[in-house]
Amino acid sequence: MRGSGSKNSWALFLLILTGIVLGGFIGMLADGVSFLSWLSYGQAFGLQNPVVLNLGVMSITFGLSIEINIASILGMILSIIIYRFL
């Protein structure tokens, strides 16, 4: 049973998600700046061609693509550090 002083795992999830999104945005903005361009270095992976399920009446398309860069990793680490001090 959790006590009233325990930390919320949903708050950690939201902070990590926010750190990834803001880090990705900063990495995208830093791509044009010469001395910050290393923040935009990253990798994209996922399904190249989405999977299509045709049921006759409707068609469902499944796909996943993840793009991660240095700035989003730094944002995730920073959000975990912030969570530890909350």
Side-chain angles (χ1 to χ4, degrees), residues 14-37:
L14 289 176
L15 272 174
I16 289 175
L17 188 63
T18 303
I20 291 172
V21 169
L22 287 177
F25 182 67
I26 290 171
M28 185 180 65
L29 290 177
D31 192 27
V33 181
S34 62
F35 64 93
L36 293 177
S37 64

Side-chain angles (χ1 to χ4, degrees), residues 1-7:
M1 188 183 274
R2 291 185 168 186
S4 62
S6 66
K7 293 184 178 180

Side-chain angles (χ1 to χ4, degrees), residues 2 5 8 20 23 25-26 34-35 47 51-52 55-56 59 62-63 67-69 74:
R2 291 185 168 186
N8 191 353
I20 291 172
F25 182 67
I26 290 171
S34 62
F35 64 93
L47 295 173
V51 178
V52 178
L55 301 174
S59 178
F62 299 99
E67 296 181 19
I68 191 160
N69 57 24
L74 292 175

Side-chain angles (χ1 to χ4, degrees), residues 45-48 50 62-66:
F45 54 92
L47 295 173
Q48 295 297 325
F62 299 99
L64 176 68
S65 178
I66 297 174

